[in-house]
Amino acid sequence: MSRCLSPHHLMLTRDSSLISARGEPPRSQELPSSFGFKNSLPTGTPVLHSILLQAPETPEGFSAAAAVRHHRLPVQVLRARPDELARHARTLRTGGCLPVGTPAFMRLAIQLARLPEPDWTCWPSRLDAYMLNQPKRVTAASALRMRRPLVVRPLASDRFKAFLLADSVRRMSPDDLEHLRRLQQLPASEPVLVSPALELAAEWRYYVLHGEVVGFAPCHPGMRASACPDLEDVSAIVAATPGDAAYAIDVGLLRAGGSTLLRVHDPLRVELLAVGGDRPTPLSFLRMQWTRWLELVRGGTPKA
């Protein structure tokens, strides 16, 4: 029987304790320690001065603004359209500015800042031992001819969303049928990713910062809270990624028993799930995003 994580299983104290209740906002030079990095950030670490929100109404945008507002951080929160990013290129490049937005928005910010673009892979080869659904690349035409059911994912995020290609269209949801239509419209030679369709009882997302789980949530609303992966399985996956400072993982509980890693998310592109009382606090999520951005600023190795 899988043991579900509860708040006291979290390996990191909730971040509300990281901000001193002094009744006054921290000075800008103290921002790194206010983020909880006092003993881990090297001398000369950039100070975060501003956050560029593409869409403040999204969970990610709302969370970033809430962290600044609730903890009275000396950070300016600005709404920015993609065509306004160029004026912030210098502060993006030096780490004083953090973009928060869609994958296309983040990619543009990285390009304008002339930073190394991450691989964005969701299936690192070093974690193959923990994955039952490692996808393979095939052409769109081949995906449509393959034995079903299978999960089909785009290489370009704007093509369609990952969907379950069932053995009969009568078994597919309206959303999946729409994604199938988009797949059928692609050039026959365009590459896509396919993987086995696993029978899952539940799917959970775990947010990790410096090797510690700072929050978790069910990936699908209405999922039974009692159905979740074993804590030992999650810990083993986290222990297998020691070089990554910030990331999120989706772990599935198989109907036949056991767990499997489904995908790994870069925090600059991961969705902050909208449900779950144990989601990362706004400050935790902001710390994850800024930590990853600093990796790019320092020319860190892209995730692969």
Side-chain angles (χ1 to χ4, degrees):
M1 180 103 178
S2 295
R3 293 190 294 106
C4 200
L5 290 173
S6 59
H8 65 269
H9 282 126
L10 283 176
M11 295 176 278
L12 182 69
T13 302
R14 300 308 288 259
D15 289 280
S16 58
S17 64
L18 294 173
I19 296 294
S20 174
R22 297 183 299 174
E24 59 179 359
R27 295 186 298 274
S28 60
Q29 64 265 33
E30 295 176 333
L31 186 58
S33 62
S34 296
F35 268 31
F37 297 141
K38 186 174 183 179
N39 297 321
S40 58
L41 286 182
T43 302
T45 294
V47 172
L48 182 62
H49 293 292
S50 59
I51 299 174
L52 302 179
L53 299 185
Q54 181 187 21
E57 67 277 7
T58 64
E60 299 79 22
F62 183 85
S63 178
V68 172
R69 181 177 62 253
H70 181 73
H71 296 290
R72 303 176 65 190
L73 299 175
V75 177
Q76 188 176 19
V77 179
L78 305 172
R79 185 162 191 164
R81 300 189 308 269
D83 61 359
E84 296 173 323
L85 285 175
R87 71 181 66 169
H88 301 281
R90 182 179 179 278
T91 50
L92 285 167
R93 183 164 55 252
T94 58
C97 186
L98 172 69
V100 177
T102 64
F105 183 83
M106 301 302 295
R107 183 178 293 112
L108 178 59
I110 289 171
Q111 292 171 350
L112 291 171
R114 292 182 294 172
L115 298 176
E117 183 170 352
D119 195 7
W120 302 126
T121 180
C122 289
W123 304 275
S125 58
R126 65 182 180 276
L127 297 177
D128 280 353
Y130 301 94
M131 291 185 177
L132 295 178
N133 69 333
Q134 182 71 274
K136 64 178 181 179
R137 182 179 300 200
V138 301
T139 65
S142 296
L144 292 170
R145 293 194 301 265
M146 294 179 69
R147 184 175 180 179
R148 308 174 184 182
L150 73 160
V151 176
V152 185
R153 296 178 174 88
L155 283 178
S157 59
D158 58 345
R159 295 298 199 184
F160 58 90
K161 291 186 177 180
F163 71 99
L164 176 64
L165 183 54
D167 53 4
S168 170
V169 293
R170 292 191 297 270
R171 299 175 183 269
M172 297 176 63
S173 69
D175 285 346
D176 286 349
L177 288 172
E178 172 60 22
H179 297 315
L180 172 59
R181 183 187 67 80
R182 295 184 182 184
L183 172 64
Q184 292 169 332
Q185 293 177 343
L186 294 180
S189 60
E190 179 156 339
V192 297
L193 297 172
V194 297
S195 59
L198 303 175
E199 293 190 16
L200 299 176
E203 183 177 343
W204 287 74
R205 179 167 299 167
Y206 300 88
Y207 300 85
V208 183
L209 179 64
H210 296 302
E212 298 177 327
V213 174
V214 297
F216 53 93
C219 292
H220 306 290
M223 190 181 64
R224 288 191 303 114
S226 59
C228 59
D230 282 322
L231 176 63
E232 290 81 3
D233 293 339
V234 176
S235 298
I237 296 169
V238 172
T241 54
D244 294 342
Y247 57 93
I249 53 176
D250 291 348
V251 182
L253 178 66
L254 301 170
R255 292 190 182 278
S259 305
T260 180
L261 175 63
L262 298 174
R263 64 194 67 87
V264 181
H265 299 277
D266 191 295
L268 296 180
R269 287 184 59 170
V270 69
E271 176 188 7
L272 180 60
L273 296 173
V275 297
D278 293 299
R279 294 186 310 153
T281 64
L283 186 60
S284 284
F285 196 62
L286 183 58
R287 289 175 63 204
M288 288 180 63
Q289 293 170 304
W290 194 50
T291 296
R292 181 60 176 137
W293 188 259
L294 288 183
E295 285 185 327
L296 299 186
V297 168
R298 298 189 188 112
T301 303
K303 294 180 184 299

